[in-house]
């Protein structure tokens, strides 16, 4: 049995330790700890202020660059796409405000935005019922296309080919002022294809539905950030659909450009998929800064470059090969 003296000694030891701790904490140790904390707070405050200054400077620089781009755009892009029709295709997840701004820049460059089509989620839905619906739609369209798809073409290839043939052509539309006379050269096959895709819930055609204008020669596809919740299987099937669409749009017309914000070039994004395919990225241009005026200029210049048979990957992402396309020679207004 432990005697009473053992308990007394233990209690005395505990109280002595507490007393020593209190004395040291209120004296020399307190001064050292307080000084250390104060120094750390002062250092963190200095670093925070420096980071805030760097951020403000970066924002000011970006604003100045955007202002410069907006100022030079009219002269730089004047008539670069004059007389050319451009079909605009918006992928799910794209920022509609960026699409609107891109359309304005295309029109400022003299292009006629002949149609604007938004792909619906049903185009990429991996549910069994959605897959079956797409298969039935592709089967119905296969016999209506001027250029029949290959016998072994998959559903994604047939749908992409149908949309591409409805929107673009290699022959420029012989229309001087399409906006003044949109009924010149209406394309009945395009009307049928777009109507079928629309009724199936695969696309939403915002312009050029009735009547369908002459098809464009160029295509601008606008994408957005990847879906962070998508499974690997969904990412794989979506990437396959993107690839088929870009390939068909480029092949059916005079060229295609995929553009989006920097997030579109992140892993799983449409620009990342394009740039990971060496053959496709050598034919279809990519622009990864469409959220800025400079990026929208790049998109127009990339379309202009497509007309000459060139292609490139432009922007500020690591996967880009150049900041911007080559500057074309000024176009005479006469």
């Amino acid at each position: 049995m432990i005697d009473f003296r053992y308990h007394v000694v233990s209690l005395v030891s505990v109280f002595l330790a507490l007393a020593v701790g209190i004395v040291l904490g209120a004296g020399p140790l307190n001064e050292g700890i307080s000084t250390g904390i104060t120094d750390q707070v002062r250092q963190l405050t200095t670093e925070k202020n420096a980071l805030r200054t760097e951020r403000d400077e970066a924002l000011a620089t970006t604003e100045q660059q955007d202002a410069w781009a907006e100022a030079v755009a009219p002269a730089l892009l004047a008539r670069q796409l004059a007389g050319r029709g451009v079909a605009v295709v918006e992928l799910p997840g794209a920022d509609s405000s960026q699409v609107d701004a891109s359309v304005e820049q295309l029109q400022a460059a003299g292009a006629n935005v002949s149609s604007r089509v938004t792909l619906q989620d049903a185009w990429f839905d991996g549910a069994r019922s959605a897959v079956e619906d797409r298969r039935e739609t592709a089967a119905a369209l296969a016999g209506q296309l001027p250029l029949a798809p290959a016998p072994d073409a998959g559903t994604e290839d047939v749908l992409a080919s149908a949309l591409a043939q409805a929107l673009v052509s290699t022959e420029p539309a012989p229309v001087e002022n399409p906006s003044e006379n949109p009924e010149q050269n209406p394309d009945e096959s395009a009307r049928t294809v777009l109507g079928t895709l629309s009724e199936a819930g695969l696309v939403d055609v915002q312009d050029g539905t009735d009547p369908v204008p002459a098809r464009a020669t160029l295509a601008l596809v606008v994408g957005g950030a990847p879906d962070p919740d998508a499974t690997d299987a969904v990412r794989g099937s979506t990437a396959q659909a993107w690839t088929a669409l870009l390939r068909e749009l480029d092949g059916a017309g005079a060229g295609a450009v995929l553009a989006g914000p920097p997030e579109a070039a992140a892993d799983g994004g449409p620009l990342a998929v394009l740039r990971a395919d060496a053959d496709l990225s050598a034919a279809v241009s990519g622009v990864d800064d469409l959220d800025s005026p400079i990026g929208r200029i790049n998109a127009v210049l990339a379309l202009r470059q497509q007309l000459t048979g060139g292609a490139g990957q432009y922007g500020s992402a690591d996967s880009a090969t150049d900041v911007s396309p080559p500057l074309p020679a000024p176009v005479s207004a006469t």
Side-chain angles (χ1 to χ4, degrees):
M1 172 180 271
I2 301 175
D3 59 19
F4 179 72
R5 285 178 300 176
Y6 178 83
H7 289 290
V8 171
V9 172
S10 297
L11 289 172
V12 170
S13 300
V14 170
F15 283 114
L16 283 174
L18 288 172
V20 171
I22 291 172
V23 171
L24 291 176
L29 286 182
N30 176 61
E31 182 179 352
I33 293 173
S34 177
T35 301
I37 293 176
T38 300
D39 290 342
Q40 290 180 8
V41 170
R42 186 180 295 112
Q43 180 181 356
L44 290 174
T45 300
T46 300
E47 292 176 356
K48 181 193 72 173
N49 291 336
L51 289 173
R52 178 177 295 172
T53 300
E54 291 179 6
R55 183 204 64 182
D56 292 343
E57 291 175 350
L59 289 174
T61 300
T62 299
E63 291 177 355
Q64 291 170 357
Q65 291 174 343
D66 289 347
W68 174 86
E70 291 175 349
V72 303
L76 179 63
L77 301 181
R79 298 178 56 80
Q80 290 299 332
L81 295 177
R84 292 289 179 173
V86 179
V88 177
V89 180
E90 183 177 343
L91 301 179
D95 187 332
S96 294
S97 66
Q98 294 176 14
V99 183
D100 293 338
S102 298
V103 168
E104 291 179 0
Q105 198 68 283
L106 290 170
Q107 293 170 337
N112 168 43
V113 179
S114 58
S115 57
R116 179 169 166 179
V117 176
T118 302
L119 267 61
Q120 302 299 294
D121 291 334
W123 190 288
F124 307 94
D125 193 342
R128 180 176 300 177
S129 59
V131 172
E132 184 60 31
D133 289 343
R134 288 200 299 273
R135 186 178 295 116
E136 292 178 359
T137 302
L141 287 171
Q144 303 175 11
L145 301 179
L147 299 177
D152 59 346
T155 298
E156 293 82 3
D157 296 318
V158 175
L159 292 177
S161 178
L163 182 60
Q165 292 187 48
L167 296 180
V168 296
S169 170
T170 55
E171 297 297 327
V175 181
E176 293 296 329
N177 296 299
S179 61
E180 296 179 6
N181 190 0
E183 295 190 11
Q184 288 193 35
N185 304 307
D187 192 315
E188 292 300 329
S189 65
R191 185 201 307 274
T192 301
V193 169
L194 292 176
T196 301
L197 292 173
S198 181
E199 290 174 4
L202 297 176
V203 302
D204 176 33
V205 185
Q206 299 182 26
D207 297 308
T209 54
D210 192 12
V212 177
R215 287 174 293 180
T217 53
L218 294 166
L220 175 64
V221 182
V222 181
D227 182 1
D229 299 323
T231 63
D232 290 341
V234 171
R235 284 192 174 193
S237 61
T238 300
Q240 184 177 358
W242 285 335
T243 300
L245 179 64
L246 293 171
R247 183 178 60 249
E248 294 296 335
L249 285 170
D250 183 67
V257 171
L258 172 63
E263 295 81 6
D267 185 35
L271 278 166
V273 171
L274 167 64
R275 291 170 175 177
D277 188 322
D279 292 334
L280 189 61
S281 61
V284 177
S285 297
V287 175
D288 62 44
D289 49 2
L290 195 68
D291 57 339
S292 70
I294 293 177
R296 292 188 283 277
I297 291 175
N298 284 342
V300 172
L301 295 179
L303 286 168
R304 183 71 180 82
Q305 185 188 31
Q306 284 281 315
L307 292 173
T308 65
Q313 304 302 315
Y314 307 111
S316 57
D318 291 339
S319 55
T321 55
D322 289 293
V323 174
S324 64
L327 295 179
V331 177
S332 174
T334 59

